[in-house]
Amino acid sequence: MTDGPPSLDAAQAERWLSAPRYRRYLGVAGGDHAAAMETYLWNSRVAAAGIVDVGHLEVAVRNAYDRVLTRRFPDWAIDPQSPLFALEQGVQRARAQQRRRNQASLARITDAKRGLSSAPTHAEVVAALTFGFWSNLTVGERTPTLWNPVLHRAFPKGTGRARVHDLVARVVKFRNRLAHNEPVFSTRTGLADRLTEVRELFELIDPDAYAYVAEHSTLGVAISSCPIPGLTSATGLR
């Protein structure tokens, strides 16, 4: 029996993480294997804390959207014949795009119902829908059918659809990177910029909930424990 915690040598780490991912961490660690592994574990802690905060935002988005949708389309999540998914407006090409979006939304609702009871409630289906489902409600072609008459009401007066859609799409992509434990320190990820986008969207959709989540977030502590000085300038939600 050996003393001390178990360790991995470089070959074992490469087998686990894959050569490209291991080399990424080895590179930022200046070729130091131990520092590379410490940075990988740190990245995992940051990703886990980030997933929690983005999950809180996802709940806020879906509930805000559902509130304004149900005022006009009661039970839209459990009624496949809901008028919500028959909305079309504009020229023939626009209508065709809207029709495809409607069909795609219905397909995602069908997917969300799998694993639920034979007669799921509206709330159960809404909770099972993916973040991507909500993102697709604000695409450009749905401006006249969903944004202008309904979804803009989920935001402060004057909030633009394009900005909301861009924020939601970026947050969804960020959430997916966190879920797959991708590096948070890369210039592609831009951790500080992504956290700014999370904050902006959260404050637009529910500023009270954002303040509460930011106060209880563990993300800042996780980021501050970075083993490589200067690797990221992000400080968490604030």
Side-chain angles (χ1 to χ4, degrees), residues 30-230:
D32 184 319
H33 169 69
M37 297 310 298
E38 186 178 356
T39 304
Y40 179 78
L41 295 178
W42 164 81
N43 188 90
S44 299
R45 292 192 296 272
V46 171
I51 280 287
V52 171
D53 290 348
V54 174
H56 293 319
L57 171 57
E58 181 177 358
V59 169
V61 169
R62 78 186 183 209
N63 289 332
Y65 281 20
D66 181 49
R67 279 194 298 272
V68 295
L69 286 170
T70 52
R71 290 172 193 165
R72 184 169 297 191
F73 307 102
D75 297 326
W76 62 266
I78 56 175
D79 179 9
Q81 303 303 318
S82 171
L84 172 61
F85 303 110
L87 294 175
E88 296 178 15
Q89 185 175 326
V91 299
Q92 183 176 358
R93 181 178 179 182
R95 287 175 175 271
Q97 291 176 326
Q98 293 158 4
R99 194 174 305 123
R100 286 194 292 270
R101 291 290 183 180
N102 289 337
Q103 292 169 349
S105 292
L106 281 170
R108 291 196 176 203
I109 289 175
T110 298
D111 289 341
K113 290 178 179 177
R114 294 193 176 98
L116 300 178
S117 66
S118 58
T121 66
H122 179 91
E124 288 173 333
V125 176
V126 168
L129 289 166
T130 67
F131 213 159
F133 172 87
W134 307 106
S135 177
N136 275 294
L137 297 184
T138 53
V139 292
E141 55 263 37
R142 279 177 151 168
T143 300
T145 59
L146 280 180
W147 177 262
N148 288 344
V150 183
L151 288 181
H152 77 278
R153 301 179 187 279
F155 297 91
K157 186 176 181 180
T159 304
R161 178 210 60 80
R163 182 54 180 161
V164 167
H165 182 71
D166 183 59
L167 284 171
V168 175
R170 287 176 178 272
V171 170
V172 170
K173 186 175 181 180
F174 178 50
R175 192 278 308 272
N176 291 342
R177 286 185 63 85
L178 293 175
H180 289 91
N181 206 11
E182 293 297 318
V184 298
F185 52 81
S186 72
T187 54
R188 285 188 304 159
T189 303
L191 182 58
D193 290 340
R194 301 294 79 78
L195 295 181
T196 295
E197 290 158 356
V198 169
R199 183 184 73 240
E200 183 177 348
L201 180 58
F202 218 148
E203 288 183 325
L204 281 173
I205 204 82
D206 194 331
D208 296 326
Y210 172 75
Y212 183 83
V213 167
E215 180 66 25
H216 291 83
S217 175
T218 62
L219 183 55
V221 173
I223 293 172
S224 68
S225 66
C226 181
I228 300 178

